[in-house]
């Protein structure tokens, strides 16, 4: 029973961390894209860009959680870090998903 309660608490902790992480990073990404293409261009670009940002944010969150935050929570049993190769692939993909909409938006303005 104790293991189950710790698992539930860790799930709630992970959910709160995810909401804060995606919320804060998402606001920064939207501010950058609005500075680059302006408010009018942002309305056109909003859906595809925000979707790519979200995918990138989720990949970065997964790496941060599995390699660092997981070991500081209530449920640390059976916790393993991601292999280095997987970590690099997820970080690279996440950064690419975040930078791609910004690069496309800045290229559209040229």
């Amino acid at each position: 029973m104790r293991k189950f309660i710790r698992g539930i608490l860790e799930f709630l902790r992970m959910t709160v961390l995810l909401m804060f992480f995606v919320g804060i990073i998402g606001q920064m990404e939207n501010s950058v894209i609005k500075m680059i293409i302006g408010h009018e261009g942002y309305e056109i670009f909003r859906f595809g860009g925000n979707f790519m940002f979200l995918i990138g944010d989720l990949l970065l969150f997964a790496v941060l959680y599995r390699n660092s935050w997981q070991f500081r929570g209530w449920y640390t049993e059976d916790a393993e870090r991601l292999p280095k190769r997987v970590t690099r692939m997820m970080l690279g993909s996440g950064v690419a998903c975040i930078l791609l909409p910004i690069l496309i938006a800045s290229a559209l303005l040229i």
Side-chain angles (χ1 to χ4, degrees):
M1 185 67 170
R2 197 171 190 190
K3 193 174 186 179
F4 177 74
I5 292 173
R6 284 186 179 178
I8 295 293
L9 287 173
E10 184 63 23
F11 178 75
L12 291 173
R13 176 180 170 267
M14 182 177 61
T15 304
V16 169
L17 283 172
L18 178 65
M19 288 189 311
F20 278 118
F21 183 80
V22 170
I24 291 170
I25 299 295
Q27 286 298 320
M28 291 186 330
E29 292 162 348
N30 282 330
S31 297
V32 168
I33 204 79
K34 282 181 185 177
M35 285 189 311
I36 291 174
I37 63 175
H39 290 286
E40 297 82 19
Y42 177 73
E43 292 301 320
I44 297 169
F45 196 72
R46 183 174 59 181
F47 177 71
N50 283 343
F51 186 69
M52 290 293 287
F53 286 153
L54 180 62
I55 291 171
D57 293 345
L58 291 175
L59 286 170
L60 294 178
F61 176 80
V63 170
L64 277 173
Y65 183 78
R66 283 292 307 264
N67 288 346
S68 178
W69 295 338
Q70 183 178 15
F71 302 102
R72 298 181 189 151
W74 287 290
Y75 189 79
T76 57
E77 299 172 17
D78 305 327
E80 289 184 26
R81 295 186 191 279
L82 291 171
K84 286 185 180 183
R85 185 174 181 186
V86 174
T87 299
R88 288 183 189 136
M89 286 174 35
M90 288 177 72
L91 283 176
S93 299
V95 170
C97 286
I98 291 171
L99 291 179
L100 190 62
I102 295 172
L103 295 174
I104 291 173
S106 60
L108 290 175
L109 292 176
I110 295 176

